[in-house]
Amino acid sequence: MKKEAAKIRIEKLKDEINYHRYNYHVLDRETIAPAALDSLKNELFSLENEYPDLITSDSPTQRVAGKPLSKFVKTKHSRPMISLFDAFSESDMRAWQERNENYLKQTWNQEYYCELKLDGLAISLHYESGQLQIAATRGDGVTGENVTANVKTIQSIPLVLRRPTTAELKAAEFSARETKIIFDLLDNGVIEARGEAIMTKKVLRDLNKKYESLGKPLLANARNGVAGSIRQLDSKITAERHLDFYAYDLLLGNYERGEVVATKSQLDSLLRLLGLKVLADNNICKNLEAVFTFFNGVGERREKLAFDIDGIVVKANNLKMWPTLGVVGKAPRYMMAYKFPAEQATTKVNDIVWQVGRTGALTPTAILEPVAVGGATISRSTLHNFDEIQRLDLRLGDTVVIERSGDVIPKVISVLKNLRTGKEKKITPPAACPMCGGQVEQVDDEVAYRCLNKKCFAVSLRQIEHFVSRGAADFDGLGPKLIEQFMAAGLIKDAADIYAIDETKKSDLLSLERFAEKKAENVIAIINAKRELDLARFIYSLGIRHVGEETARTLAVMIAENLHPEKKQAVALSSLISTFQSKSRDDLANMEDIGPVVAESIYSFWHDEKNLELLKKFERNGVKIIIEAFGKNKSVQTKLAGKIFVLTGSLLGLTRDAAKDKIRALGGKTTESVTKNTDYVVAGENSGSKYDKAKELGVTILNEEEFLKIIE
Ligand code: IVH
């Protein structure tokens, strides 16, 4: 980006981030998800990196966010509640360890202590002589808000600290001196426990169910739920929210932690002995490799946990290291937040495409500037309906926040209108159906716009299903369910669109439900394997009315006679079209086995503009139509010349397609139904009504062995 443009973008980003920071940290209103805000901050950070002389002291990158709210009484923390540095990859974590090694001038050979990073609200609990006096929020880190009345409603928080027995402290490896200090502080000193107030997923679900039935606005997520509950002026409301609290830190009077407690793991034991709730998942990890294993394991269990987490916190287990390493800027060197990839991000909307569903409803999909979200690159996002576009006031060119959770298709959450340049374009519903060109209307009091052609989706679906079927293009593994899923997601509108699905579209596949890396790769491989199609199969797969496999073959021979290929070669689509178009209805009707009705159907197919467009799309999307060397084939077609075969039941030694090919190669033909003109019925295992019909008409019936002899 040029400097002038960067300057304008930086100013806009700063205002935007500041606006959300104020809402989030001061008013407790989440106007943007933290991960999306991170995304804006990252953009600002890299622009400032590129042009360091554009950095100003008021930039959000230059300070720690947050001012206390005035509606609660302010309270100063005994020691600042600092923040954490974030790491997003193993290499970030290695770089952190390396920085510490450089700082200490020695190799790191110490244990880490890994904890879950709870996504709630940080609270400090100030106990004097073991009695809870003040509970405070973090605020700006130096001064927080006194929320004691509300916090007292959390059942898992002790109002009086539990007094451990000497034996319990001994078992937890506290020395006599340390035990005495702990008892003195409990009797006559100050102990401060810090931790996270949370709302479990179940409580959130139940509350939202209740709010829904009462017609009240729903809570967006557990973090919002807990922050809103703690910031209630009426503590009765907080009590109804059933919050929970997990402790992760302990301040012992004026002592440094390391003077009384040896390790973070031992500190957790003390927290528990004092009656506080501590996460059972926390664990010692010998080195970074063990930390990575812990992180991956937690990632796998994340969905099943009772509460939301956004990563893990990795701490030096040896508490003596904490003051040694100290704090730099806003956060300590001795711990690191190792976060899961962001599930939200910001990106630009480049286009809107409309897809037609089973019921004819038109659904808009936003085509996005590709962006990494939660480990996948996202380039499309569902918008549900036109109302959603209006509600969001979405325009082409807008910067939007998108969210991806689990396997679900990403959603546009909000539009960052302050980032508009004035060049954004309004979005209108399409005038005609993008699938069939039919009329589009918004039906009375319905949200959706619909294609009025009742058969629109079903007809297209059937056509594509026919194209991929066994006798046609034969996409083994691309069944009707997948086809319907691709259509519903707007990935394909016709058979030719299938060939546009290649490596570059992998992220689109990954954004579909039940699609993981392997399945996406598999689908791409299936499609790539069918980029060359035999001419007869191609003609059959087009689904021209009355043109079955045999007629398609007759037409392929006609093309071959015209083109006289010397060897196996690709036929240019233009010569295919011009050959078909050079034939009159009569020419076609004079061909073997083609009557006037079939001729009319073939003729009109090759003169229809829409069909010609589709054919060109096949070529554009990289389909090669192959024709066999003609002269050679013709000379062998004698042994079964003119004989008509019907295959029924399953053959053990060869596939039905191979059997048909063999019959044709010897000059014979296959048809689907048994008539008096049928010469042979080949009856395999489990043959049914065709066998009975053959008996009834006195047609020769061959078993597999007899058939194999004939075609030998
Ligand atoms: S230790 C220096 N441990 O994460 C700050 N924090 O992003 C000491 N958090 O404000 C924090 N789980 O509210 C620590 N196991 C854990 C945590 C945790 C969640 C929160 C905490 C902090 C925020 C920083």
Side-chain angles (χ1 to χ4, degrees):
M1 193 183 282
K2 291 232 175 75
K3 192 166 178 184
E4 269 319 296
K7 196 171 174 187
I8 296 169
R9 184 75 180 172
I10 284 177
E11 282 310 315
K12 289 198 172 188
L13 283 169
K14 283 201 297 199
D15 288 346
E16 186 69 13
I17 294 165
N18 222 6
Y19 168 77
H20 294 300
R21 181 202 57 77
Y22 177 76
N23 273 297
Y24 184 78
H25 288 281
V26 183
L27 301 181
D28 238 341
R29 248 182 22 206
E30 194 176 82
T31 44
I32 191 167
L37 189 60
D38 278 350
S39 187
L40 291 178
K41 282 183 191 165
N42 286 343
E43 193 189 341
L44 177 62
F45 194 75
S46 54
L47 281 177
E48 288 181 342
N49 243 357
E50 204 177 338
Y51 301 105
D53 58 330
L54 294 181
I55 300 176
T56 57
S57 60
D58 68 351
S59 169
T61 59
Q62 304 298 303
R63 69 184 185 119
V64 184
K67 264 191 194 156
L69 210 78
S70 53
K71 59 180 175 178
F72 284 102
V73 176
K74 291 172 193 167
T75 170
K76 195 159 186 291
H77 297 300
S78 59
R79 286 186 225 174
M81 287 181 81
I82 43 181
S83 185
L84 288 175
F85 288 123
D86 293 338
F88 288 97
S89 62
E90 293 188 359
S91 66
D92 286 354
M93 291 298 290
R94 288 204 173 91
W96 168 56
Q97 178 168 292
E98 236 175 79
R99 281 199 302 278
N100 283 341
E101 286 177 334
N102 291 338
Y103 184 78
L104 296 169
K105 296 195 178 58
Q106 65 185 54
T107 343
W108 185 271
N109 49 14
Q110 306 214 16
E111 285 170 353
Y112 289 110
Y113 193 68
C114 289
E115 301 176 13
L116 302 189
K117 188 170 186 307
L118 295 158
D119 203 6
L121 191 75
I123 296 287
S124 94
L125 305 171
H126 183 90
Y127 290 89
E128 287 176 21
S129 307
Q131 303 269 340
L132 179 65
Q133 294 297 332
I134 298 169
T137 61
R138 178 175 177 275
D140 64 1
V142 176
T143 312
E145 298 88 48
N146 185 327
V147 287
T148 315
N150 290 342
V151 167
K152 276 185 170 172
T153 68
I154 302 176
Q155 299 290 332
S156 52
I157 291 180
L159 299 182
V160 180
L161 284 177
R162 178 177 176 277
R163 193 180 173 83
T165 63
T166 314
E168 281 173 337
L169 287 168
K170 196 170 176 195
E173 296 185 13
F174 286 98
S175 67
R177 183 190 71 87
E178 291 157 355
T179 302
K180 183 173 182 312
I181 294 173
I182 294 165
F183 283 147
D184 285 349
L185 290 170
L186 273 172
D187 292 339
N188 230 337
V190 173
I191 292 178
E192 195 175 313
R194 289 177 177 179
E196 201 86 348
I198 61 146
M199 181 179 275
T200 61
K201 293 176 189 169
K202 180 175 184 320
V203 169
L204 178 76
R205 255 195 324 268
D206 292 350
L207 269 179
N208 273 344
K209 238 186 241 160
K210 188 169 130 193
Y211 291 168
E212 194 170 14
S213 69
L214 296 173
K216 285 204 218 161
L218 306 189
L219 298 167
N221 53 45
R223 207 209 79 85
N224 275 9
V226 73
S229 309
I230 296 275
R231 289 275 180 75
Q232 279 291 336
L233 285 170
D234 180 0
S235 62
K236 275 199 214 90
I237 299 178
T238 316
E240 287 169 8
R241 303 284 172 91
H242 302 289
L243 301 181
D244 208 342
F245 178 87
Y246 287 95
Y248 51 65
D249 199 7
L250 193 64
L251 302 179
L252 297 160
N254 291 325
Y255 294 96
E256 284 294 344
R257 298 171 189 80
E259 292 177 78
V260 187
V261 190
T263 61
K264 178 63 192 29
S265 144
Q266 198 191 21
L267 190 101
D268 271 11
S269 306
L270 182 56
L271 282 167
R272 288 195 186 95
L273 290 175
L274 293 173
L276 288 144
K277 205 160 144 177
V278 180
L279 280 171
D281 306 75
N282 300 351
N283 221 336
I284 294 172
C285 289
K286 284 253 165 284
N287 50 33
L288 276 188
E289 291 312 314
V291 168
F292 300 153
T293 308
F294 181 88
F295 178 79
N296 293 333
V298 170
E300 277 164 25
R301 289 189 292 123
R302 182 180 180 189
E303 297 300 321
K304 291 198 194 93
L305 291 173
F307 38 72
D308 286 338
I309 59 169
D310 55 353
I312 64 171
V313 185
V314 186
K315 309 179 176 181
N317 196 27
N318 178 355
L319 293 180
K320 286 248 160 55
M321 292 308 294
W322 290 25
T324 308
L325 281 164
V327 172
V328 54
K330 63 157 195 163
R333 289 192 183 86
Y334 49 87
M335 49 175 92
M336 179 59 91
Y338 186 7
K339 287 178 137 178
F340 296 128
E343 300 277 315
Q344 291 201 355
T346 57
T347 188
K348 274 206 173 128
V349 174
N350 290 335
D351 197 8
I352 300 287
V353 292
W354 295 83
Q355 66 209 46
V356 191
R358 261 203 170 282
T359 59
L362 266 66
T363 312
T365 297
I367 305 298
L368 309 166
E369 194 69 39
V371 62
V373 192
T377 305
I378 300 303
S379 52
R380 1 175 8 115
S381 162
T382 175
L383 287 160
H384 305 298
N385 50 47
F386 186 62
D387 258 29
E388 181 81 353
I389 294 180
Q390 287 182 311
R391 188 184 66 74
L392 292 162
D393 184 21
L394 178 68
R395 300 181 194 177
L396 284 185
D398 266 339
T399 302
V400 293
V401 177
I402 58 162
E403 180 181 78
R404 172 179 178 262
S405 65
D407 291 342
V408 183
I409 299 171
K411 285 188 289 191
V412 172
I413 298 294
S414 61
V415 176
L416 303 177
K417 292 179 195 150
N418 297 344
L419 297 182
R420 278 182 181 160
T421 59
K423 288 192 185 138
E424 293 75 17
K425 287 202 193 89
K426 284 223 171 216
I427 298 162
T428 49
C433 169
M435 193 117 89
C436 71
Q439 205 185 331
V440 167
E441 244 178 48
Q442 187 172 29
V443 183
D444 300 334
D445 62 71
E446 258 193 11
V447 184
Y449 279 76
R450 284 182 193 285
C451 167
L452 298 187
N453 173 6
K454 291 263 178 292
K455 294 181 184 153
C456 174
F457 186 90
V459 167
S460 304
L461 176 64
R462 255 202 321 268
Q463 276 168 355
I464 305 175
E465 276 174 5
H466 170 74
F467 184 86
V468 299
S469 69
R470 203 156 47 119
D474 190 17
F475 278 76
D476 193 14
L478 210 67
K481 270 203 182 132
L482 278 180
I483 296 296
E484 188 168 346
Q485 191 182 12
F486 292 170
M487 279 182 77
L491 266 184
I492 60 169
K493 286 203 291 278
D494 52 46
D497 284 336
I498 295 174
Y499 291 99
I501 301 176
D502 58 13
E503 268 304 314
T504 65
K505 296 281 167 61
K506 194 159 142 191
S507 62
D508 288 348
L509 292 176
L510 288 172
S511 71
L512 302 177
E513 279 185 53
R514 299 181 299 277
F515 256 86
E517 192 81 10
K518 194 139 183 240
K519 189 161 168 188
E521 276 168 11
N522 196 17
V523 163
I524 293 169
I526 291 172
I527 295 166
N528 281 340
K530 296 287 173 181
R531 286 189 184 272
E532 280 194 1
L533 283 184
D534 162 68
L535 176 64
R537 271 184 190 275
F538 180 68
I539 295 173
Y540 172 63
S541 70
L542 292 173
I544 306 168
R545 256 187 110 200
H546 308 301
V547 176
E549 281 178 82
E550 281 307 315
T551 312
R553 208 151 278 279
T554 309
L555 291 170
V557 169
M558 178 268 286
I559 297 287
E561 277 170 348
N562 272 269
L563 300 178
H564 283 294
E566 299 276 306
K567 55 179 172 38
K568 181 178 167 179
Q569 67 179 67
V571 201
L573 195 87
S574 53
S575 53
L576 193 63
I577 295 174
S578 62
T579 313
F580 269 111
Q581 290 191 338
S582 71
K583 304 284 171 191
S584 68
R585 290 179 175 87
D586 283 347
D587 291 340
L588 293 165
N590 282 335
M591 289 174 69
E592 211 185 323
D593 290 337
I594 296 181
V597 177
V598 184
E600 175 59 40
S601 171
I602 298 168
Y603 183 88
S604 53
F605 182 93
W606 292 92
H607 286 84
D608 181 308
E609 264 317 308
K610 267 185 69 191
N611 293 336
L612 298 179
E613 270 311 308
L614 178 76
L615 290 162
K616 283 179 198 146
K617 204 201 271 186
F618 276 114
E619 196 167 57
R620 268 202 312 278
N621 289 344
V623 179
K624 264 196 184 163
I625 302 156
I626 302 295
I627 189 164
E628 294 291 336
F630 186 61
K632 272 188 277 156
N633 277 355
K634 214 176 176 185
S635 59
V636 268
Q637 297 177 351
T638 52
K639 187 172 173 187
L640 299 177
K643 299 288 182 214
I644 298 171
F645 285 74
V646 172
L647 302 171
T648 176
S650 47
L651 300 172
L652 303 176
L654 71 174
T655 65
R656 210 176 250 231
D657 278 349
K660 284 183 183 175
D661 281 346
K662 199 77 197 174
I663 294 167
R664 284 181 203 121
L666 296 171
K669 278 187 202 158
T670 63
T671 61
E672 286 306 312
S673 45
V674 182
T675 67
K676 57 182 184 347
N677 295 329
T678 310
D679 292 295
Y680 298 106
V681 166
V682 181
E685 295 254 307
N686 302 322
S687 41
S689 61
K690 287 180 190 173
Y691 179 93
D692 301 338
K693 185 82 193 243
K695 275 211 137 165
E696 190 188 315
L697 295 176
V699 175
T700 313
I701 298 172
L702 305 173
N703 62 26
E704 183 166 346
E705 209 182 321
E706 290 160 337
F707 170 64
L708 289 176
K709 266 202 192 125
I710 287 189
I711 60 167
E712 231 167 35

